[in-house]
Amino acid sequence: MIRIVDKRDCCGCSACVQRCPKHCITLQEDAEGFLYPYVDESSCIDCGLCEKVCPMLHSGEPRKPLVVYAARNRNEKVRLQSSSGGVFTALAETVIHEGGVVFGVCFDEKWEVVHTYADNCDELVKFRGSKYVQSKMGDCYQQVETFLKAGRKVLFSGTPCQIRGLKLFLRKEYENLLAVDVICHGVPSPGVWREYLKEEIARQRDRKNTVLPRPIHEKDVLVEGISFRDKTLGWKKYSFALALSTTKGSGEKFSFCSRMPLDENLFLRGFLADIYLRPSCYSCPVKCGKSGSDLTLGDFWGLQSVMPELDDDKGMTALLVNNTRGQKFVNKIGIDLWQTTYESVLKGNPSLESSVVMSKRRELFFTDSNVPFEKKIRKYTWLPLKQQIRQKAFGCFSAVLSDRQKAVIKKLLGR
């Protein structure tokens, strides 16, 4: 029976919930906004299946990829709409053209992050772009199993722990499954995301009240779109973009968009400061290729040092091929590929092998109740002026410095 004593021991994949034959496990949200399984012991038959499908109890074997590529979609529009190089869309389109289905992450009608599937190419746009919030899995593992048993091809994408959860849930290998995970820094709290979004909408509404003929009420504002990785300022200096709309007194629709650079957006600031990641993310058991995925996708950070001739600041994917099934699939999709080394990707993506360190301010953030999100973030991500100046100066010149020059500067700055 699943019993969560230490919350670091649950990644929230929901494999236990979906595999339970008596349906006696439910997910409940805790005070931090994360979902955890709870067992109705009166209905439990102690079959042990929930424990057998738990990624935290059964991590895979570490492995290195067979081959590593810098990769990008040949469609410039798709690449600009994607977080990195648009490779996921190329993979997904191929699966759908072969009669398959694609599982990915999108926003629902409440702008919460959920897993779902698409079976036509027009729907793939909802999966593009990173969503820096832990997704709700629902019954997707069960749906995947149904499609696979029916003989349909399935592409399932998710975080490494979600991929590991799926593999354990299925209990056997399927040749018609392509499992794709992402290089994962950690997943932020859905509860914190809801809190931030509500406050941000209110801030944008109040700013527009000064230019519209009548006050805008909260219920009159609609969210039209959200992008965590808007490339208006470029791939390396991405922005958070929030598109909203309301109506003027005449009934005319009025749309406005807010774009905040990476270092200015409050939610991204807290995410990158590791303040509200899931507790299990600080000791992730499925790093180093343990998820069992066929392919791994991520941003090729540091591309300008490895292949400067390819760096057009529009986005490049680091594509890790983990087995022969993944390689066979890559061979038949029409994308641009340049072979590189695992070490060159690892250098810019240490999350491939290492979990982030839990912030000392994390507990303070969550226990500081009845304080607006903006005030808490400014309070718990504050840096001394000297350190702010160092980071700002380093950030201004990092894009044009070699790795050796960066190392020397970091040493001089005491970083």
Side-chain angles (χ1 to χ4, degrees):
M1 182 189 301
I2 290 286
R3 286 191 178 94
I4 308 301
V5 178
D6 188 333
K7 290 188 175 179
R8 290 176 294 183
D9 295 333
C10 175
C11 65
C13 71
S14 85
C16 58
V17 177
Q18 297 184 65
R19 183 45 73 196
C20 177
K22 301 299 290 184
H23 309 291
C24 64
I25 307 177
T26 57
L27 291 174
Q28 297 179 25
E29 186 171 294
D30 73 347
E32 294 183 349
F34 293 106
L35 296 175
Y36 289 90
Y38 288 85
V39 180
D40 177 1
E41 296 188 20
S42 64
S43 302
C44 178
I45 59 175
D46 204 24
C47 65
L49 285 177
C50 56
E51 295 176 340
K52 291 178 180 177
V53 300
C54 178
M56 306 300 290
L57 296 176
H58 307 284
S59 61
E61 293 296 320
R63 58 183 179 159
K64 293 289 178 64
L66 298 181
V67 63
V68 178
Y69 297 105
R72 69 186 182 196
N73 199 304
R74 292 170 182 166
N75 185 317
E76 285 290 286
K77 182 179 179 180
V78 168
R79 185 155 71 112
L80 289 174
Q81 290 176 344
S82 305
S83 292
S84 49
V87 171
F88 172 78
T89 297
L91 294 168
E93 287 175 343
T94 301
V95 169
I96 288 177
H97 288 153
E98 294 178 350
V101 295
V102 174
F103 284 79
V105 172
C106 68
F107 292 109
D108 66 8
E109 66 281 356
K110 296 180 180 179
W111 295 98
E112 296 188 355
V113 179
V114 298
H115 250 84
T116 187
Y117 73 88
D119 57 8
N120 67 78
C121 290
D122 292 337
E123 292 184 281
L124 294 180
V125 65
K126 65 185 179 185
F127 294 147
R128 287 183 198 141
S130 299
K131 285 88 176 174
Y132 294 131
V133 184
Q134 182 165 34
S135 65
K136 294 181 180 179
M137 189 60 65
D139 61 352
C140 282
Y141 287 172
Q142 295 174 342
Q143 293 175 333
V144 169
E145 187 175 47
T146 299
F147 284 127
L148 291 173
K149 287 182 176 179
R152 296 187 70 177
K153 291 186 177 180
V154 175
L155 186 162
F156 186 93
S157 63
T159 60
C161 60
Q162 290 173 334
I163 296 297
R164 184 62 183 162
L166 173 64
K167 290 280 188 171
L168 291 168
F169 173 87
L170 294 174
R171 296 180 287 185
K172 60 176 280 189
E173 286 293 326
Y174 286 86
E175 286 301 315
N176 49 331
L177 170 66
L178 182 72
V180 180
D181 62 3
V182 295
I183 301 174
C184 183
H185 177 87
V187 290
S189 160
V192 172
W193 165 245
R194 287 196 300 269
E195 182 184 1
Y196 162 75
L197 186 60
K198 183 177 181 180
E199 285 191 20
E200 187 58 41
I201 291 172
R203 274 192 291 274
Q204 297 302 323
R205 177 200 65 201
D206 293 342
R207 287 171 186 166
K208 294 302 175 184
N209 273 341
T210 61
V211 298
L212 291 178
R214 63 183 178 85
I216 307 173
H217 299 289
E218 184 177 350
K219 62 182 178 62
D220 297 327
V221 179
L222 295 177
V223 178
E224 300 287 352
I226 294 173
S227 174
F228 284 95
R229 297 283 301 278
D230 182 82
K231 293 180 180 178
T232 300
L233 299 177
W235 170 52
K236 293 188 285 294
K237 293 184 179 180
Y238 60 86
S239 304
F240 176 90
L242 175 64
L244 303 169
S245 69
T246 187
T247 54
K248 297 182 179 180
S250 61
E252 178 187 357
K253 188 174 181 179
F254 180 78
S255 299
F256 51 102
C257 182
S258 168
R259 286 187 176 86
M260 291 156 276
L262 166 66
D263 57 347
E264 295 179 16
N265 178 259
L266 296 176
F267 185 81
L268 291 178
R269 187 189 301 181
F271 166 51
L272 294 175
D274 307 322
I275 286 181
Y276 36 73
L277 303 182
R278 191 178 182 95
S280 61
C281 295
Y282 302 103
S283 55
C284 177
V286 288
K287 298 287 185 184
C288 303
K290 295 179 183 177
S291 70
S293 66
D294 303 302
L295 300 171
T296 298
L297 304 178
D299 289 279
F300 201 138
W301 299 128
L303 177 71
Q304 66 272 21
S305 299
V306 182
M307 300 176 179
E309 70 279 5
L310 299 179
D311 182 24
D312 57 4
D313 205 27
K314 295 180 181 179
M316 184 68 74
T317 298
L319 171 58
L320 283 63
V321 179
N322 299 320
N323 54 32
T324 54
R325 177 163 49 201
Q327 185 64 68
K328 288 179 181 177
F329 202 88
V330 169
N331 290 342
K332 62 181 178 180
I333 60 175
I335 58 175
D336 294 327
L337 296 169
W338 295 269
Q339 189 167 341
T340 185
T341 64
Y342 175 72
E343 288 70 26
S344 66
V345 173
L346 177 63
K347 198 168 188 178
N349 290 278
S351 294
L352 275 167
E353 296 188 355
S354 305
S355 298
V356 297
V357 177
M358 183 181 290
S359 170
K360 294 178 181 179
R361 300 174 179 179
R362 186 183 189 280
E363 184 177 357
L364 294 172
F365 174 86
F366 280 111
T367 56
D368 201 351
S369 57
N370 300 319
V371 177
F373 177 84
E374 179 179 6
K375 288 186 177 180
K376 285 199 294 184
I377 282 296
R378 296 192 186 281
K379 181 178 180 180
Y380 296 118
T381 61
W382 176 86
L383 294 174
L385 180 60
K386 188 175 181 181
Q387 193 171 345
Q388 291 182 45
I389 294 172
R390 286 175 174 177
Q391 286 198 358
K392 196 71 175 178
F394 186 77
C396 289
F397 297 104
S398 62
V400 297
L401 297 175
S402 67
D403 289 340
R404 185 176 179 180
Q405 289 170 325
K406 289 179 186 178
V408 171
I409 293 175
K410 284 183 178 180
K411 188 174 181 180
L412 292 172
L413 294 177
R415 295 176 60 182

